[in-house]
Amino acid sequence: MHPAVGRARNAVKAALEEACWPSRVLVACSGGPDSLALAAAVAHFARRGAVGGHPLEVGAVVVDHRLQEGSGEVARTTAAVLGELGLSPVRVVAVEVRSSGEGPEAAARSARLAALEAEAAAWGAGAVLLGHTLDDQAEQVLLGLARGSGTRSLGGMRAVRGLYVRPFLGLRRADTLDVCAAEGLEPWFDPTNADPRYMRSRVRAAIMPFLEAELGPGVAEGLARTAAILGHDADFLDAEAARAYAELVERPRERELLLPGEPVRALPAALRSRVLALAVVELGGQPTFERLAAVERLLERRGSAGPVEVPGHVTAHRQPRRKGAPRGTEYGKLVFVSHR
């Protein structure tokens, strides 16, 4: 057995254990080397009907985004290969990628995830397996750094997060090519991965090789370690912020939330911004760094009391002090309103 095949199978087993041994899983497969290698590794256990002493059924979903000529044929060919590997059922799902101002990559991702979640629900799958590798993780962290993202974004992808399981986050892209070669599989290479119009493609084809050449080997592994460390930090801070938010938030009426000014202002900065973001998200808004900073300035009780507009039709303003209110009366609560 090729060493890469053994590493891939061990990675699948470890990830399913972390996911508490789901008995029925779906593999999301595009036909590319990463997801095809993942399908081959999972198929090893599917043919035995068990992994780690736990029963296992494995199906697959091929999402056809219909963005390239011949995508339907690629999807059908991939589905046939997956059936030959022993996965069942294998479904080809065509989706409509709607332009929503978030960019073509994000729009395609949204359509793909919606299709995968629908298929998982229909078949009763406890997990959807994705073929992201250590290289994908490193590229995501590098993109997050370039965009000035926070801890959650720099924490990258998790091996297990909700429905989604990513067994290959510890494997390099070269490993998946070795698995495909060892298993006699011919992967499809998505031409958009080399298209310089897409930022992630430029990172993959030009920036990461440049960094490896100039800084020496190990850059990708270093970025992936950064994601692992910051991911744990982000989990802790998010949990603390959720606890504080649950204690502080008031819901006086539909589409309106209140947060008390002084207790929120007293929170550590890392928690304060998260608590404000939770209020925005609960009302269906999309918090951004600049808009959250503007909301946070309302706590200073200097200058404008708002409203501050946040993407997603949400506003925030500081509650004014009522006329005639005695000194010491609590005022200055932050009021969040959805205008949908």
Side-chain angles (χ1 to χ4, degrees), residues 185-206:
L185 301 172
E186 297 183 8
W188 169 70
F189 292 92
D190 185 348
T192 63
N193 287 335
D195 190 335
R197 290 178 298 173
Y198 300 106
M199 184 180 295
R200 184 176 287 276
S201 299
R202 296 196 296 273
V203 169
R204 176 176 299 183

Side-chain angles (χ1 to χ4, degrees), residues 143-202:
L143 284 167
L145 286 169
R147 292 166 176 158
S149 301
T151 313
R152 170 50 63 202
S153 177
L154 296 180
M157 299 172 282
R158 306 306 301 271
V160 178
R161 194 167 196 86
L163 180 68
Y164 296 104
V165 179
R166 297 175 172 88
F168 283 1
L169 288 182
L171 273 62
R172 297 298 303 266
R173 193 168 289 138
D175 291 321
T176 67
L177 290 168
D178 287 343
V179 170
C180 289
E183 298 280 12
L185 301 172
E186 297 183 8
W188 169 70
F189 292 92
D190 185 348
T192 63
N193 287 335
D195 190 335
R197 290 178 298 173
Y198 300 106
M199 184 180 295
R200 184 176 287 276
S201 299
R202 296 196 296 273

Side-chain angles (χ1 to χ4, degrees), residues 197-232:
R197 290 178 298 173
Y198 300 106
M199 184 180 295
R200 184 176 287 276
S201 299
R202 296 196 296 273
V203 169
R204 176 176 299 183
I207 297 174
M208 285 299 297
F210 173 79
L211 291 176
E212 293 276 359
E214 294 298 317
L215 301 179
V219 172
E221 287 85 353
L223 288 169
R225 282 196 299 274
T226 297
I229 294 167
L230 292 180
H232 291 309

Side-chain angles (χ1 to χ4, degrees), residues 93-338:
V93 181
V95 298
E96 182 178 354
V97 178
R98 300 178 183 274
S99 178
S100 57
E102 56 184 346
E105 290 176 285
R109 179 178 182 275
S110 295
R112 179 170 63 253
L113 295 184
L116 292 174
E117 288 166 15
E119 290 298 315
W123 192 50
V128 174
L129 275 55
L130 305 177
H132 296 109
T133 65
L134 185 148
D135 296 81
D136 295 306
Q137 185 80 296
E139 291 160 7
Q140 178 152 322
V141 174
L142 193 58
L143 284 167
L145 286 169
R147 292 166 176 158
S149 301
T151 313
R152 170 50 63 202
S153 177
L154 296 180
M157 299 172 282
R158 306 306 301 271
V160 178
R161 194 167 196 86
L163 180 68
Y164 296 104
V165 179
R166 297 175 172 88
F168 283 1
L169 288 182
L171 273 62
R172 297 298 303 266
R173 193 168 289 138
D175 291 321
T176 67
L177 290 168
D178 287 343
V179 170
C180 289
E183 298 280 12
L185 301 172
E186 297 183 8
W188 169 70
F189 292 92
D190 185 348
T192 63
N193 287 335
D195 190 335
R197 290 178 298 173
Y198 300 106
M199 184 180 295
R200 184 176 287 276
S201 299
R202 296 196 296 273
V203 169
R204 176 176 299 183
I207 297 174
M208 285 299 297
F210 173 79
L211 291 176
E212 293 276 359
E214 294 298 317
L215 301 179
V219 172
E221 287 85 353
L223 288 169
R225 282 196 299 274
T226 297
I229 294 167
L230 292 180
H232 291 309
D233 291 351
D235 288 343
F236 173 77
L237 291 170
D238 288 347
E240 288 296 295
R243 180 188 58 77
Y245 180 69
E247 293 176 356
L248 295 172
V249 68
E250 302 172 29
R251 300 177 178 86
R253 57 183 62 86
E254 189 178 1
R255 297 191 297 179
E256 181 177 295
L257 301 173
L258 301 180
L259 287 173
E262 286 301 325
V264 172
R265 186 163 58 173
L267 290 171
L271 296 183
R272 187 165 58 243
S273 60
R274 283 172 163 81
V275 166
L276 297 176
L278 286 171
V280 172
V281 170
E282 183 175 337
L283 292 174
Q286 294 93 44
T288 65
F289 177 81
E290 291 80 8
R291 293 290 83 197
L292 281 181
V295 173
E296 194 165 348
R297 284 195 291 273
L298 296 175
L299 293 167
E300 299 172 2
R301 296 187 181 180
R302 295 194 299 269
S304 171
V308 172
E309 295 186 1
V310 182
H313 306 287
V314 174
T315 62
H317 66 272
R318 186 175 66 244
Q319 200 175 52
R321 183 175 183 177
R322 298 191 309 275
K323 281 189 175 182
R327 286 190 174 278
T329 301
E330 169 69 19
Y331 76 101
K333 290 183 179 180
L334 292 184
V335 182
F336 296 81
V337 181
S338 170

Side-chain angles (χ1 to χ4, degrees), residues 38-54:
L38 174 61
V42 183
H44 167 75
F45 300 107
R47 291 190 292 269
R48 289 156 176 75
V51 56
H54 300 266

